[in-house]
Amino acid sequence: MSEGALAGLRVVVSAGPTYEDIDPVRFIGNRSSGKMGFAIAAAAAKRGADTVLVAGPVTLASPAGVDRRDVRSAAQMHAAVLAALPADVYIGAAAVADFTPATVAGGKIKKRPGGGGLVLDLVPTADILAEVASHPLRPRLVVGFAAETGDLEANALDKLRRKRLDMIAANRVGVAGGGFESDDNTLHVYDAAGVRVLGPAPKTRLADDLLDLVAARLS
Ligand code: CTP
């Protein structure tokens, strides 16, 4: 790792889950720990980048030298990421909710005696990553993540093209020894040059290796 490799550059990283409120006491969330995104932000700051970390609801400590902006919902993350532009690099490591309740109930939703189930009306959220990649202030490098349970390569390459990304880091979720809640993971990083496999390794090591690829692309 070269210490000043990203000096003078602005890097925006999103991390963690989003919580989509259903009523004042309930939400829809996901199992993202935020560890990968926080490690990436730490690695960017270590390389001298002016680093903004847009963090969903997690209990992790802020990495040194990072401008952290806490958000809760996908809509708040969307606003915070766009407000952080212009930037040289955007790395979307957050597990953003794809759907959010159409309305948030003002009071706690009650069971009705003898009543049936509850049907939630969900609407799609904005795709932050795709929007950043097509934005007039598009960063020079837009990097996405793909958490997949099925065909890693086909899904990652489809996302790379569909969302107009420069690079995508794909990992398997829902299997032992990696994924959302673990400290270790394996990343398959796809770009126009092909694929590189990083790990299995601790997420801090993967973040360093990923930032080396990012710095190489920018130099
Ligand atoms: N992402 C985003 N905004 C969303 C949803 C996802 O910015 N509303 C970003 C994530 O931060 C990640 C990438 O998109 O970098 C991949 O997310 P994923 O949920 O795997 O992709 P989807 O577009 O939801 O594709 P699919 O539903 O086919 O898995």
Side-chain angles (χ1 to χ4, degrees):
M1 192 273 280
S2 125
E3 283 283 334
L6 298 176
L9 299 181
R10 183 174 168 87
V11 175
V12 177
V13 182
S14 71
T18 64
Y19 286 177
E20 309 304 316
D21 288 334
I22 297 169
D23 70 14
V25 297
R26 303 184 181 93
F27 60 85
I28 300 170
N30 64 66
R31 301 168 87 115
S32 169
S33 68
K35 284 176 187 165
M36 192 69 236
F38 272 57
I40 289 169
K46 223 168 55 182
R47 284 165 173 74
D50 165 20
T51 307
V52 176
L53 172 60
V54 178
V58 293
T59 51
L60 300 173
S62 298
V66 159
D67 173 3
R68 174 174 177 174
R69 303 179 186 178
D70 285 315
V71 298
R72 176 175 172 85
S73 65
Q76 289 171 358
M77 186 170 278
H78 178 248
V81 167
L82 292 187
L85 299 181
D88 299 283
V89 179
Y90 176 67
I91 303 177
V96 186
D98 289 321
F99 299 96
T100 193
T103 54
V104 182
K108 185 181 169 198
I109 299 170
K110 295 288 194 189
K111 290 195 295 281
R112 271 168 303 150
L118 173 67
V119 176
L120 290 174
D121 184 11
L122 303 179
V123 294
T125 58
D127 191 315
I128 303 166
L129 182 62
E131 231 177 87
V132 168
S134 303
H135 198 278
L137 295 174
R138 187 193 199 279
R140 279 162 65 196
L141 207 64
V142 178
V143 183
F145 269 75
E148 304 291 348
T149 52
D151 187 339
L152 203 66
E153 175 159 336
N155 285 314
L157 290 177
D158 174 59
K159 269 171 211 174
L160 185 73
R161 277 188 290 265
R162 193 161 37 86
K163 301 196 187 194
R164 301 168 175 224
L165 310 178
D166 301 295
M167 197 183 272
I168 190 158
N171 68 285
R172 273 186 206 295
V173 289
V175 291
F180 273 4
E181 286 162 326
S182 163
D183 285 330
D184 288 36
N185 208 351
T186 302
L187 293 181
H188 289 69
V189 183
Y190 299 90
D191 67 5
V195 61
R196 261 149 306 198
V197 181
L198 309 181
K203 287 178 178 174
T204 48
R205 173 67 200 277
L206 295 176
D208 261 328
D209 292 348
L210 184 67
L211 266 286
D212 283 343
L213 295 179
V214 165
R217 279 290 298 260
L218 291 168
S219 65

